Amino acid sequence: MAGIVIGALVGASLGAGALYGYQTVRRSQAKSQIDKDLANAKTKASDIVLKAKDEALKIENERRREWQKTENRLADREKTLDNKLEELDRRSEKLRAHEDEIDDLKNEIRQIRTRQQEKLEKIAGLKKKDAAEKLMQMTERDIRDDLTKLVAKLQHEAMDDAEERAQTILLTAMERMSSEVTAERTVTAVKLTDDEMKGRIIGKEGRNIQALQRATGVDILVDDTPGMVVLSSFDPIRRQVARLSLEMLMKDGRIHPARIEEVVAKAQKQIDKEVKQAGEDAMREAGVVGIPKEMLRLLGELKFRTSYGQNVLKHSTEMAQMAGMIAEEIGADVRISKIATLLHDSGKAVTHKIEGKHHHIAAELARKYGMDERIAHAIEAHHDDIEATTPEALVVRVVDAASAARPGARNISAENFAERMRDLENVATSFEGIDKAYAISAGREVRVIVKPEKIDDLSAIKLSRDIATKIESTMQYPGTIKVNVIRETRAVEFAK
């Protein structure tokens, strides 16, 4: 057993020795390999350093060459600048010499001009200021005629352009608008359902017809015309109430005084509603807002009013749309123009209640209900008795003439229209001293040209009044007619 242990120890010792020897050999081999790697690394590092030095040397040489070139260019520029400075110095010397020469010449010219002025004043016997004033007077006298002609020419050209532009605006507005016209009347015919209805409308001892006339204020004419009853009244609203009442009574069949009063009250409410609706529709059609309800009611009443063949409400709405187009073209206030035009004839709804001309009445009502003064003025000035002082008032006046005075718009035939124009001209030419007479603006104005050697200024004023008086006494016409007497003196000379 002991032998085995000893053998194991000896084996272990030999193994340990062998292992130590092997490790020693491996370490020496690794060390020699490391030394070789270090030597190689040092060699490579030296090569890299040498290459870097070579590159740095090349870069430095390249930079030195660039710096040398830059220095050479700077030297050349410096030399060029020195040459330019020397050239500028030489030019400055020359300029100073020239300035001295110019100053000498200026002084010499002043002396010469002074001596010449003294000689001229001595010869003319006038000082410089006096001579200048006299020269200006002569020049002004020479060119005054030329300037006058030039101004007249420019004025005529401006008037021609303005007239052409105005015609274009009016024609454009008129050709885009048209309205229906109706025959003027103060009576309304109501068709009966049968001939027996006449007796029922009259009633026993005429009590029904009397009650109807008393409730409506309308004359009811029952004549021999079969199937018709005629309502007559100067108030179109009353006629409409009576017409509607009669139709409701005939439809209901109960006709007696108590029923008549009840039906008339219903008809009045319905007509009031139609009047209000007509005013609102007209305002909406014209494209405006802000009209007081009192003025809207007057406007709506025009639905049942005709004037010289035109329905007044349709005439007003047509005019309002034309006024908007024209106001837009000339730069006037479109809203003011439209509202004033829409309401310009609203006074006709109350002319049977209030005395005065319809345009004055309408303007006062507009002021009463708090409307803009520009609107009131435009309404009041749409006829010739008040001067139009605003563009909007002129627009209302123009569209009123365009809408109401054109041939056919007021149910006047072309032949009657032409005859009235001839009568106007004949009335004017019937006076002594008249050269020519023209009826213009669809008969709203007659323009009379007199002979200046026979009619002086005071006589022209009297002549216009006499012609207007004769027109009033001998002719029938709608609206007003302006008599415009023109006395013109011309001086003509020919250059040969």
Side-chain angles (χ1 to χ4, degrees), residues 7-277:
L9 291 172
V10 172
S13 298
L14 291 174
L19 178 63
Y20 177 78
Y22 176 75
Q23 289 178 344
T24 301
V25 172
R26 290 289 296 172
R27 278 197 296 270
S28 63
Q29 290 178 350
K31 184 176 179 182
S32 61
Q33 184 64 37
I34 290 170
D35 292 337
K36 289 180 180 179
D37 292 339
L38 287 173
N40 292 334
K42 289 180 180 179
T43 303
K44 290 181 179 179
S46 299
D47 294 339
I48 292 170
V49 170
L50 290 174
K51 289 182 179 179
K53 288 182 179 180
D54 291 340
E55 291 293 329
L57 184 61
K58 289 180 181 179
I59 293 171
E60 183 178 0
N61 292 333
E62 184 68 25
R63 287 181 178 178
R64 284 179 179 177
R65 286 195 293 272
E66 292 294 331
W67 291 341
Q68 187 63 40
K69 290 180 181 179
T70 303
E71 289 178 356
N72 294 336
R73 284 198 299 271
L74 290 174
D76 293 338
R77 288 184 180 181
E78 184 176 359
K79 185 177 181 180
T80 303
L81 286 175
D82 291 339
N83 294 333
K84 289 183 177 180
L85 287 174
E86 292 177 0
E87 181 67 22
L88 286 174
D89 291 338
R90 289 193 295 271
R91 290 186 177 182
S92 297
E93 291 294 333
K94 290 181 180 179
L95 285 174
R96 280 194 290 271
H98 289 162
E99 286 177 356
D100 294 338
E101 293 178 1
I102 290 171
D103 289 338
D104 295 339
L105 289 173
K106 285 181 178 179
N107 293 330
E108 185 177 355
I109 290 170
R110 289 193 189 99
Q111 294 174 0
I112 294 172
R113 187 172 62 183
T114 302
R115 290 194 297 269
Q116 288 178 342
Q117 183 176 333
E118 291 174 353
K119 290 181 180 179
L120 287 173
E121 289 178 354
K122 184 176 180 180
I123 294 171
L126 293 172
K127 295 294 184 181
K128 178 182 178 181
K129 184 178 179 181
D130 298 335
E133 291 179 357
K134 189 170 183 180
L135 180 61
M136 287 297 295
Q137 291 174 359
M138 293 172 62
T139 305
E140 182 180 356
R141 186 172 59 252
D142 291 339
I143 67 173
R144 182 181 299 166
D145 292 340
D146 294 336
L147 290 176
T148 303
K149 292 177 182 178
L150 179 60
V151 170
K153 179 182 178 183
L154 294 176
Q155 287 177 342
H156 286 305
E157 289 178 354
M159 291 176 65
D160 292 341
D161 292 342
E163 183 176 357
E164 183 178 353
R165 176 166 171 75
Q167 290 174 352
T168 302
I169 293 173
L170 282 175
L171 289 174
T172 302
M174 290 174 67
E175 69 187 5
R176 291 176 60 184
M177 295 302 306
S178 63
S179 66
E180 300 175 359
V181 295
T182 60
E184 181 180 3
R185 59 178 182 266
T186 58
V187 298
T188 300
V190 179
K191 187 177 181 180
L192 303 179
T193 56
D194 54 60
D195 290 338
E196 293 181 0
M197 188 59 69
K198 282 188 179 181
R200 298 180 63 186
I201 291 173
I202 295 173
K204 186 178 180 180
E205 297 179 356
R207 63 177 185 176
N208 290 345
I209 195 171
Q210 290 176 8
L212 190 56
Q213 289 181 151
R214 187 167 52 252
T216 59
V218 173
D219 292 331
I220 301 176
L221 308 177
V222 182
D223 55 15
D224 296 332
T225 305
M228 299 294 291
V229 171
V230 177
L231 310 176
S232 176
S233 175
F234 65 90
D235 189 337
I237 301 296
R238 292 181 187 175
R239 287 204 313 274
Q240 292 299 319
V241 171
R243 179 191 62 78
L244 186 58
S245 300
L246 198 55
E247 290 175 351
M248 292 170 66
L249 287 169
M250 289 189 296
K251 185 177 181 180
D252 183 62
R254 294 175 294 169
I255 304 176
H256 53 80
R259 179 62 178 166
I260 288 172
E261 292 179 0
E262 181 182 345
V263 169
V264 168
K266 289 182 179 179
Q268 286 175 341
K269 290 182 180 180
Q270 187 168 338
I271 293 298
D272 286 342
K273 188 180 296 184
E274 287 185 22
V275 166
K276 182 179 178 181
Q277 188 63 43

